[in-house]
Amino acid sequence: MINPLPELPTEQSDPRYSQIDRLPTEQVARLMNQADAAVPAAVAVAIPAISAAIDAIAARMADGGRLLYVGAGTSGRLAVLDASECPPTFGTDPSLVQGVIAGGLDALTRSVEGAEDDAEAGAASLAALEVDALDSVVGVSASGRAPFVLGALGEAARRGALTVGLSCNDGAPLSAAAEHAIEVVVGPEVVTGSTRLKAGTAQKLVLNMISTISMIRLGRTYGNKMIEMSAMNSKLADRALRMVSDITGADHDTAGNALDAASGQVKIAVLMIQHGLDAGGARALLESHGERLSDALSS
């Protein structure tokens, strides 16, 4: 049996906050800030587990697998947010990193009552995505007990996918259901049970690590530069220009001309400048080195 919610640390009432409705705004803000300051330390405790999960995820992605996040409520919204940022940041196909939220897209902007309690719907969402043994599925649930997420993780495991459980309580059912368990224990919330607060912050920090470090492992950065980003607006176009100049030492005119010839692709522009190639030759060189700029530059 799953332990009832009142026994979970994230559901406890912290007496430090029992009078917040009577305090001045600045004092409440300081209390919230103090509570939030404890979150990074809780994440730090889980870094060995986070790192092991990332290495396993990146290995499967290198073989062509996808990264799928599954969550309900706030956890689901954070999952969809992290997944949706991967294409513009790392130039990935939208299918490579996906977020699944209980209740579907409607649940992104409003509560869909009962959606998180439907384990069968969770399993069906993974079946619909045709999850297989190359994929990695990260279940995200502050309580670690959301039936939708547990159902999804069970279906993922049945299909041979790598499973990761991210929760904010120790000994969570989600941890028992996953191959890799990540538990970031943040304790009671300022507003009792409102896990969009510390627990949500903790989950966002961990999801940042999972997606970002996986993409680093896959060669989608050069140093700390997001060389795969899509230059879809003037800010990003300017960033691409500065990256090409920084990497190659070329002036902005040279970098800009190379970027134009490379259709805005930073890696291609860099190789064109560094190796004196046209766009086609730079693309061929990059492909021959598995799309890794560092390897192509040193060839």
Side-chain angles (χ1 to χ4, degrees), residues 9-13 20 32 36 74 142 186-201 203:
T10 51
E11 293 295 321
Q12 299 299 305
S13 179
I20 56 172
M32 290 188 68
D36 290 341
T74 296
V186 295
E189 299 286 3
V190 172
V191 175
T192 303
S194 182
T195 51
R196 70 186 183 87
L197 301 176
K198 287 193 298 181
T201 300
Q203 290 173 89

Side-chain angles (χ1 to χ4, degrees), residues 95-121:
S95 66
L96 184 65
V97 183
Q98 300 181 50
V100 177
I101 182 170
L105 294 179
D106 287 345
L108 288 174
T109 55
R110 62 182 178 84
S111 176
V112 178
E113 298 300 333
E116 73 172 66
D117 294 330
D118 193 339
E120 292 184 2

Side-chain angles (χ1 to χ4, degrees), residues 149-176:
V149 179
L150 289 168
L153 223 62
E155 179 67 13
R158 190 183 71 78
R159 291 169 169 265
L162 178 79
T163 55
V164 179
L166 169 57
S167 67
C168 294
N169 289 292
D170 53 8
L174 186 60
S175 297

Side-chain angles (χ1 to χ4, degrees), residues 226-227 229 240 243-244 247 259 264-271:
M226 56 172 87
I227 52 171
M229 71 170 197
M243 276 195 284
V244 173
I247 294 170
L259 273 170
Q265 294 178 281
V266 171
K267 293 194 295 186
I268 302 301
V270 167
L271 289 174

Side-chain angles (χ1 to χ4, degrees), residues 66-157:
R66 299 170 295 175
L67 171 57
L68 307 173
Y69 296 133
V70 183
T74 296
S75 298
R77 295 180 191 103
L78 290 170
V80 173
L81 170 64
D82 196 76
S84 68
E85 291 288 355
C86 287
T89 305
F90 300 109
T92 59
D93 187 280
S95 66
L96 184 65
V97 183
Q98 300 181 50
V100 177
I101 182 170
L105 294 179
D106 287 345
L108 288 174
T109 55
R110 62 182 178 84
S111 176
V112 178
E113 298 300 333
E116 73 172 66
D117 294 330
D118 193 339
E120 292 184 2
S125 69
L126 271 290
L129 289 170
E130 299 182 343
V131 169
D132 62 29
L134 282 179
D135 295 326
S136 301
V137 178
V138 180
V140 190
S141 169
S143 69
R145 68 187 295 280
F148 181 91
V149 179
L150 289 168
L153 223 62
E155 179 67 13

